Amino acid sequence: MAALRVLVGVKRVIDFAVKVRVAPGGAAVQTQGVKHSLNPFCEIALEEAVRLREAGAATEVVVATLGTKASQETLRTALAMGADRAVLAELAEGAAAGPREVAVALAALARRLQPQLVLLGKQAIDDDCNQTGQILAAILDWPQGTFASRVSLEPGAVQVQREVDGGLETLRLRLPAVLTADLRLNEPRYATLPNIMKAKKKPLEVVPAADLGVPAGPPRLRLLQLQEPPPRAGGEKVESVESLLGKLRHAGRI
Amino acid sequence: MTAALLLLRALRAARASPAARGLRTAAPRRAFAKELFLGTLRKEEVFPYPEISNEELAEINQFVGPVEKFFNEEVDSKKIDQDAKIPPETLQGLKDLGLFGMQIPEEYGGLGLSNTMYARLGEIISLDGSIAVTLAAHQAIGLKGILIAGTEEQKAKYLPRLASGEHIAAFCLTEPGSGSDAASIQTRATLSEDGKHFLLNGSKVWISNGGLASIFTVFARTEVVDKDGQVKDKITAFIVERDFGGVTHGKPEDKLGIRGSNTCEVHFENTKVPVENVIGEVGGGFKVAMNILNSGRFSMGSASAGMIKKLIELTSEYACTRKQFNKKLSQFGLIQEKFCLMAVKAYVMESMAYLTAGMMDRPGFPDCSVEAAMVKVFSSEGAWACVSEALQIFGGLGYMKDYPYERYLRDTRILLIFEGTNEILRMYIALTGMQHAGKILTDKIKAIKKGNMGVALGEFLTRLQDTLGRKVDLGLVGDRGVVHPSLQESAKKLEENVYYFGTTVRGLLSRFGKTIVEEQLVLKRVADVVINLYAMTAAISRASRSISIGLRNHDHEVLLTNIFCTEAYFKNNYAMAQLEKYADENLDDSIKKAAKQILEKRAYICSHPLDRTF
């Protein structure tokens, strides 16, 4: 079988269960000492790639991320879930990156590694941008299948079922292609402890982000301000439908 | 009292001979606790607080994620408790995660975790009591014998499938007539004519995993011929496979708590056990049993701490939202006291557990059995108190099965009973320490009698300084002190307590001599004091490190440490004052007298308050 390499892009984000707080200054979220983990949609993308390899449709799964040194632990988790090797496009401590910067890095890696398929999560749960996959496809000039809920490889092509507002849409894309994973694509496996130990021996390459053409300086997307939502005001119970309508009209809602 | 006496004799024998662990080349290092009985605090053993390498830390943090995720998503503790069973899918998930072979070396398919890393994972596993006990019964005791005393052939044959969970192990020591008095077991193994196998006969009771296991570590009496040709009955440890035949088990016991853990009777009827399956030496089984039990005990500290930390999260949510009398519960002093109690207990338990684990992980196989016992006693009682208070915070809701607190309470109660009842362990702690002190002091007296002026002078000076009221300085604080200055107060209290303790022990030994083994009420106070001393040491050592390296919230740690040390200091002083008194002054005699009167009649003997004589 011809070599079919899959490149999976992942992101280290604040764990979904954490109660996020705005850091003093209102310019960022508190990240010091807060639990981080692999972005859930990236997990789903990685799981799909590993399943493709296990089914024999793919030959190698390479996982990559753009981040600071701390992202190495995220890559180790990905290796424990079944990726064959990992690449860290390393940013300096304190540097930030947005979807465009990530796409530039992944594009450079794609030109280096020549994958037939790039799988990403549809969005990260911290910024909910939903842009990286699309920008990446544009840079590489590859076809894209976003919000994938089913993926099947065919010779030279990939069939993608997408979840769109109107329902489900199925596309056939020529390879190489960029896909982004949606929630119902699969259920990711647990990284078992024996696999975590085996992952220690798998190769993890560190490449400075600048070497991949990631521009130095602040990201294209600038965060202007962050504030917590206003505290929830109490609700009110009314006795009848009329008084409900009255209250709503009074509050200018209808 | 014979139970403790036999236990002590056996342990003395156990320590004297080469260890069950195969490769020990040096004599066991005198670990920390026993020296406390001489009024000495061996700083080098406990300062600085043990650390693990960055690599190990990164690795253990990697492990924590998947295990936590599994327990949060796949474990339905309520259902396990109701059905009194762990669902097969959950059990399989645990096996796939690798949790059945945590301490089995990598070469046999396990994870090869150190004691510290095992304790860390224990914090998460304890979120479900039944699963925690099932895993502990399998690896902390069930297969531990093979790990620490097995031959290479035995390890290669059994460990791989035990690591994957294909085979589950169980530890078979307890019998209906032999619980705390383990040396009195009656199960018998007789050597066959051809000397190739033993025939095992007997019944074991309350065996965790008894119904699930296919590999059993069984303890039985065997006839051993002594060096002088005398035939003695000694205990031997065996690896018994269910496939050997004659192995049956009873129905699962209906328990108060840890209901998902399988506990049942296991019967052996003419089970053929090949001689190759003896663990250690024939007749050396008791030693093996004690080593197994001693090696797993410390992890109760981290497991309990993990559970209490979770309880603090759950209950604080409620306390900060529920309002009564127009104030949040969290604003009331009595509620605040409960949170402080839980945090202090959890902090001290953690500190003790990881200090002990760190000591055990040091090269040279140090003997930390007394320290581990202290961790077990403190943690089990601390956990019980904290769970009770957590339930209390919820009031009526805490009592309802809709909330998990009643289940935590029921699951926690067993901690004071199994793995050595707290009563037995207190006797063990006190007697081991006092025996050590007694030996050292006897040696000193012998030296003086022989005319060793140096020793005599030293002792005289010590007594003189005591009467002149010397200031205690054990090197914890001051210019070359190992403790951070912020903890000065607590460290001074610890030093004072340790010194006073040494004097108290000396006094008790000279007053009672060997008959001290009979004085349980005295020994209980001794044990309580030394447990507090170890706890204070662990907390101070950990807090000192936290400040020195600048961990987040280290000032909170100092606060908790100071609270604990102050309370413990006063409790210790009271206990030691009671110990100085004779039995008729300190209520011991009255207590025994009252008990005797009650037990004679086997009932409460007071006349009813409404009774008349006419």
Side-chain angles (χ1 to χ4, degrees), chain B residues 60-289:
Chain B
I60 199 63
N61 282 337
Q62 279 237 293
F63 285 160
V64 164
V67 181
E68 264 179 355
K69 193 166 171 208
F70 183 80
F71 272 81
N72 285 334
E73 294 175 11
E74 302 288 323
V75 173
D76 186 352
S77 296
K78 185 161 181 198
K79 187 158 189 294
I80 292 176
D81 180 64
Q82 264 170 356
D83 298 347
K85 193 170 158 34
I86 301 174
E89 318 83 65
T90 312
L91 214 52
Q92 187 58 44
L94 293 166
K95 291 178 190 174
D96 291 338
L97 268 177
L99 293 177
F100 273 72
M102 284 189 270
Q103 287 198 288
I104 296 180
E106 277 180 75
E107 64 213 76
Y108 298 110
L111 297 176
L113 299 184
S114 63
N115 291 308
T116 308
M117 291 159 89
Y118 177 66
R120 179 63 185 92
L121 288 184
E123 284 189 41
I124 313 166
I125 297 172
S126 69
L127 289 176
D128 184 285
S130 304
I131 293 181
V133 169
T134 302
L135 288 176
H138 165 79
Q139 57 197 309
I141 50 177
L143 56 84
K144 207 42 122 44
I146 306 175
L147 260 187
I148 64 179
T151 60
E152 283 309 312
E153 293 81 35
Q154 288 167 338
K155 288 183 189 174
K157 181 170 182 197
Y158 291 108
L159 290 182
R161 275 181 288 185
L162 286 167
S164 67
E166 191 187 325
H167 287 160
I168 298 183
F171 183 81
C172 300
L173 176 62
T174 307
E175 292 174 10
S178 312
S180 288
D181 188 6
S184 69
I185 56 173
Q186 294 300 305
T187 301
R188 187 157 281 282
T190 28
L191 192 56
S192 62
E193 289 286 312
D194 56 9
K196 291 231 177 93
H197 61 262
F198 284 87
L199 270 184
L200 188 61
N201 277 290
S203 291
K204 297 291 184 182
V205 76
W206 295 335
I207 305 303
S208 294
N209 296 349
L212 309 172
S214 31
I215 307 285
F216 302 85
T217 299
V218 186
F219 295 86
R221 300 205 96 83
T222 48
E223 273 184 5
V224 176
V225 181
D226 237 349
K227 292 189 288 267
D228 7 315
Q230 275 205 321
V231 172
K232 292 237 179 81
D233 243 6
K234 287 216 178 134
I235 298 176
T236 305
F238 298 93
I239 308 173
V240 179
E241 296 178 38
R242 199 182 274 272
D243 291 341
F244 288 163
V247 181
T248 49
H249 65 266
K251 67 170 184 28
E253 303 282 355
D254 194 11
K255 302 189 292 291
L256 169 67
I258 54 165
R259 291 172 53 77
S261 157
N262 172 273
T263 316
C264 59
E265 294 174 4
V266 180
H267 307 280
F268 301 97
E269 200 178 313
N270 291 325
T271 305
K272 266 171 89 166
V273 183
V275 291
E276 297 80 43
N277 278 29
V278 170
I279 304 179
E281 297 161 7
V282 175
F286 196 78
K287 222 182 331 170
V288 172

Side-chain angles (χ1 to χ4, degrees), chain A residues 16 19 32-35 43 72-77 80 187-197 199-201, chain B residues 55 59 62-70 73-74 95-99 102 106 109-113 121 317 552:
Chain A
F16 75 92
K19 279 203 170 73
Q32 260 285 39
V34 169
K35 183 164 183 234
E43 248 183 6
Q72 275 197 30
E73 79 186 39
T74 313
L75 289 177
R76 288 275 169 225
T77 309
E187 213 180 295
R189 64 194 62 192
Y190 290 101
T192 67
L193 305 192
N195 282 345
I196 294 176
M197 295 192 73
K200 279 194 292 191
K201 305 191 184 89
Chain B
E55 216 181 70
E59 194 177 349
Q62 279 237 293
F63 285 160
V64 164
V67 181
E68 264 179 355
K69 193 166 171 208
F70 183 80
E73 294 175 11
E74 302 288 323
K95 291 178 190 174
D96 291 338
L97 268 177
L99 293 177
M102 284 189 270
E106 277 180 75
L111 297 176
L113 299 184
L121 288 184
E317 213 23 77
R552 262 173 52 241

